[in-house]
Amino acid sequence: MIKSPTLWLILINVGVALLMVYRGVDPIHPTPHDLTTWGGNLGAYTLTGEWQRLLYAMFLHGGALHLALNMFLLFQIGRVSEAAWGRLRFLGIYLVTGLFGGLASAWWNAREAVNVESSPLQMALGFVAAPNMVVSIGASGALLGAAGALLVHAMRAGDQSHVDRNVILQVVLLNIGMGFLISGTDNAAHVGGALSGILIGAGLMGSRDGAPRFNPVVQSAAVFGVMLLALGGLALKAVPEGLEQVAAAFHKADVEHERREERAARKRQAEQAFEQERASIPAPVSVQLASGARAALPDGTVSETFLPDADLLYVGNAETNSVARISLASLEILKQWKGLAVTPDKESGCSNNLCRGIGAAGIAPSKDGKWAMVSSLVPDSLSRLDLESGKVLWSVKVGRYPRDVFLSDNEQYAFVVNGPDNSVSVVDIARQQLLFTKPIGKEIDAAFGRPIGAVKGKGVLYLADVADNAIATLDTERPNELKRVIELGEVWPHLLALSADGSRLFVSGRGGLYSFDTRDFKRTDSFRTCMDTDVIEFAVSPNGAWLAVPGSAPGTIGIVSTRSQRTVRAVPAPGERPVMGFTKDGGALIALNRSFYGATLHRFDLAKTLDVKQLTEEHGDVFCSRELGDDE
């Protein structure tokens, strides 16, 4: 077993260096930011409370050459020091003088940073001089401290020391002298370490004949105790005025540096991902083959509920006030249910029921498929529809023209977004009664309300208000208050979608798409559109790997990788703004196109794609890769 503290110190220093390289730090020229991140002694940080940096910095080095030189010197001085002082006292000398050297360095560099002044020319031009970010690292302070203590030992013990005082004096003077001559050398650490080493050496030495003045253990404890008390006292008084502002400026620069590094890393990862994805893009086919299957739906189809796990689609038709169940595999209408006939208000000035705010809108079927909650089947109400008998069992008045509907996981509550009211209503299904209605975001004076994005995850309903630029959540198992969880700035959210596991929330809005981690609601990605229009309609594949969005080429739908943000498939678009959804396996895309001329349902086999390379070369890509990872 290794007993020498010298060898242990060398192993620790080398081990730290290897760990840094393993974690991606340059072994030859580590950056100041890397060194600071690993605990380098930046005076503005150290003297404002991060005192651990005094210790950490002793085991960090500015590259392989710096490490090799210091470890060679440590091996030479360490062996002699262990013989002169003993193992434990040498280790104490090394660590304590290293702390003193670090404190001297922190104080000196912090004072220099605080006292930076702009020249008259800089001030005239509007420039302000910024403090230099000097990060002190290395074992030099501790080594000079050990050398200073040896110098005292050699001078006090004379011939009994077995230490050549001339050699040690040369080591101390040479290192300090070179520090004044060589730019970038942390001479404050050298001087602080050497002076503290001399003081410790003087305190540990006995009489000139080598006899101890006190019990060696008591004497050592007293000397190191006094030095540590002195270190603490100096540390508390060493903070220059104005250093907190300098530390804040450095922290801000660190955050910005980390953001730039993260963006660059994401961009590299995205390019690497696309190289892999490019190889898996199928050979292009004709427009006819890529167009897939198509089925016509009755005019008046206004809403849709995708159930990819059941391979089903439910649609609501406002004109016929009916609900239909459709197979995603065959696009056939499997069953249809009609509500009561609705009498249009001829005085409204509207030409259809969607404008009038009547007729079946949102559908939320039960897990067993035997019943569903349907909005506006009865005007301004939420109804329970028996899917086996086709009867409307009961209805509850909610808000004006209710639209999107959701069920709680335990199917005890139903949630409906009311259109013009811009509110959400909660209905207790078992009691057949309205619990409450709460506004979503700000009030607005508009006949048809405004877009309210809504999507349900496990135990939570997410609601986005385009006017309020915020996302709120509502606990679906214990519904109570809406909680604002994300402030979106100027995003103007329209549509929300979740990854299959519920870990990522996608928001479409101004400038593109944005994704958030649903655990802490921090933005994880920004998909900046390269097109002149915003991305409104989109869909997320079950595994979260793909997004279906309007393609960069007119009349196309682009399938974009969430890893690379590059288009990997393209199919013909059935209209300007089709509503989209993926099948359970992600191998097909369903698109519902609604227009004044009727509705059509399309199924695209994503193994059959248009020529992605040609389309992106001619029209560019959907998202701008240069913005990858930008979380502004």
Side-chain angles (χ1 to χ4, degrees):
M1 181 178 177
I2 300 176
K3 296 182 179 180
S4 168
T6 299
L7 295 180
W8 274 115
L9 289 170
I10 292 173
L11 287 174
I12 292 172
N13 277 275
V14 173
V16 169
L18 291 175
L19 181 60
M20 291 173 66
V21 173
Y22 175 75
R23 294 289 181 85
V25 178
D26 191 308
I28 307 299
H29 300 292
T31 66
H33 177 80
D34 288 333
L35 295 173
T36 303
T37 301
W38 279 82
N41 182 14
L42 180 62
Y45 289 175
T46 303
L47 298 183
T48 54
E50 299 183 29
W51 302 108
Q52 71 279 5
R53 292 180 178 274
L54 294 177
L55 178 64
Y56 295 168
M58 296 165 56
F59 299 95
L60 303 175
H61 287 83
L65 181 60
H66 185 205
L67 175 68
L69 291 174
N70 272 356
M71 292 306 97
F72 173 76
L73 191 57
L74 173 57
F75 182 72
Q76 300 299 328
I77 291 179
R79 291 187 306 162
V80 178
S81 295
E82 288 183 34
W85 300 111
R87 292 170 180 163
L88 289 180
R89 287 201 293 180
F90 160 64
L91 183 60
I93 292 169
Y94 183 92
L95 294 176
V96 173
T97 58
L99 295 174
F100 268 97
L103 182 62
S105 171
W107 176 83
W108 179 266
N109 290 317
R111 187 183 65 85
E112 291 290 307
V114 169
N115 293 331
V116 170
E117 295 183 359
S118 301
S119 68
L121 177 60
Q122 286 176 316
M123 297 184 68
L125 295 175
F127 296 110
V128 178
N132 290 325
M133 187 175 178
V134 178
V135 185
S136 174
I137 39 90
S140 303
L143 292 172
L144 267 292
L150 278 178
L151 181 61
V152 173
H153 190 283
M155 295 177 68
R156 294 282 293 171
D159 294 339
Q160 298 180 22
S161 173
H162 304 294
V163 177
D164 191 328
R165 64 182 180 184
N166 292 326
V167 173
I168 298 300
L169 183 62
Q170 289 175 19
V171 169
V172 174
L173 294 179
L174 181 63
N175 276 275
I176 294 176
M178 293 295 288
F180 285 111
L181 299 176
I182 300 176
S183 175
T185 303
D186 189 5
N187 220 22
H190 292 175
V191 174
L195 290 178
S196 60
I198 290 172
L199 291 175
I200 292 175
L204 292 178
M205 281 301 295
S207 61
R208 287 187 177 275
D209 60 3
R213 295 172 180 170
F214 310 102
N215 180 292
V217 175
V218 174
Q219 183 179 0
S220 298
V223 170
F224 287 119
V226 169
M227 291 299 290
L228 288 174
L229 287 174
L231 179 71
L234 291 172
L236 295 176
K237 293 184 177 181
V239 182
E241 185 178 353
L243 190 61
E244 290 81 3
Q245 290 82 355
V246 174
F250 282 151
H251 275 298
K252 185 177 180 180
D254 277 344
V255 170
E256 183 58 33
H257 177 86
E258 288 175 359
R259 290 175 63 184
R260 289 196 302 268
E261 289 293 310
E262 184 179 359
R263 292 175 193 172
R266 286 187 177 185
K267 193 166 186 176
R268 289 193 299 269
Q269 292 169 3
E271 293 301 325
Q272 294 170 359
F274 185 62
E275 288 303 315
Q276 299 172 358
E277 293 164 350
R278 191 201 305 270
S280 64
I281 297 177
V285 299
S286 66
V287 173
Q288 182 178 1
L289 287 176
S291 295
R294 176 183 181 277
L297 296 179
D299 186 21
T301 300
V302 296
S303 65
E304 68 292 321
T305 300
F306 284 96
L307 297 179
D309 287 346
D311 207 23
L312 294 174
L313 170 69
Y314 286 83
V315 296
N317 190 299
E319 294 305 308
T320 59
N321 196 26
S322 62
V323 175
R325 179 192 289 158
I326 300 173
S327 167
L328 292 181
S330 64
L331 306 186
E332 293 182 76
I333 296 178
L334 302 177
K335 197 168 183 179
Q336 191 169 3
W337 303 268
K338 288 189 177 183
L340 300 175
V342 291
T343 303
D345 180 4
K346 297 181 180 179
E347 302 298 324
S348 66
C350 292
S351 61
N352 56 54
N353 285 347
L354 175 61
C355 173
R356 299 183 186 105
I358 58 177
I363 308 103
S366 62
K367 296 174 184 176
D368 59 11
K370 294 182 179 180
W371 57 272
M373 299 302 294
V374 184
S375 62
S376 295
L377 199 64
V378 174
D380 299 338
S381 302
L382 184 64
S383 305
R384 177 161 176 164
L385 175 64
D386 187 316
L387 298 180
E388 294 182 326
S389 67
K391 293 181 179 180
V392 176
L393 301 179
W394 50 265
S395 299
V396 175
K397 284 284 185 180
V398 284
R400 177 77 176 93
Y401 192 26
R403 296 185 287 208
D404 295 336
V405 185
F406 306 91
L407 297 178
S408 61
D409 293 341
N410 57 16
E411 297 185 340
Q412 181 178 348
Y413 304 103
F415 306 83
V416 59
V417 176
N418 305 304
D421 293 346
N422 295 113
S423 63
V424 59
S425 295
V426 181
V427 172
D428 188 317
I429 297 175
R431 296 180 181 179
Q432 303 177 24
Q433 66 181 27
L434 175 68
L435 293 183
F436 60 79
T437 297
K438 293 183 180 295
I440 303 171
K442 300 176 181 178
E443 294 184 2
I444 186 172
D445 184 15
F448 299 101
R450 58 179 179 267
I452 297 291
V455 67
K456 184 190 168 297
K458 186 175 182 180
V460 62
L461 178 65
Y462 299 91
L463 298 162
D465 180 11
V466 69
D468 208 24
N469 271 310
I471 293 176
T473 60
L474 181 62
D475 188 329
T476 58
E477 309 311 297
R478 293 178 297 276
N480 193 353
E481 295 295 322
L482 273 73
K483 296 180 180 179
R484 291 169 68 102
V485 294
I486 303 175
E487 300 294 337
L488 294 171
E490 298 295 320
V491 168
W492 312 111
H494 282 270
L495 189 67
L496 303 181
L498 283 167
S499 58
D501 61 1
S503 64
R504 296 178 74 185
L505 175 66
F506 293 85
V507 183
S508 70
R510 186 177 184 179
L513 292 174
Y514 309 88
S515 69
F516 298 84
D517 189 316
T518 55
R519 292 167 298 182
D520 55 17
F521 299 111
K522 292 183 178 179
R523 188 181 295 185
T524 55
D525 272 308
S526 297
F527 299 78
R528 304 286 189 174
T529 179
C530 301
M531 302 178 290
D532 294 333
T533 58
D534 295 333
V535 175
I536 303 299
E537 301 293 346
F538 74 100
V540 185
S541 66
N543 61 3
W546 285 353
L547 296 172
V549 295
S552 57
T556 64
I557 294 174
I559 306 300
V560 177
S561 162
T562 55
R563 291 179 62 202
S564 65
Q565 298 196 7
R566 304 285 288 274
T567 301
V568 293
R569 303 284 192 281
V571 295
E576 290 186 4
R577 287 178 55 180
V579 178
M580 298 171 287
F582 286 87
T583 55
K584 182 179 180 179
D585 62 1
L589 179 73
I590 307 298
L592 173 62
N593 180 53
R594 297 188 292 258
S595 71
F596 292 109
Y597 307 104
T600 54
L601 190 61
H602 302 255
R603 179 186 172 102
F604 300 98
D605 182 350
L606 296 182
K608 298 176 181 179
T609 176
L610 300 175
D611 194 330
V612 171
K613 183 178 180 182
Q614 180 182 350
L615 291 175
T616 53
E617 285 178 352
E618 294 179 357
H619 302 277
D621 220 320
V622 176
F623 299 115
C624 297
S625 59
R626 66 177 180 276
E627 300 288 353
L628 191 69
D630 184 9
D631 59 356
E632 291 292 341

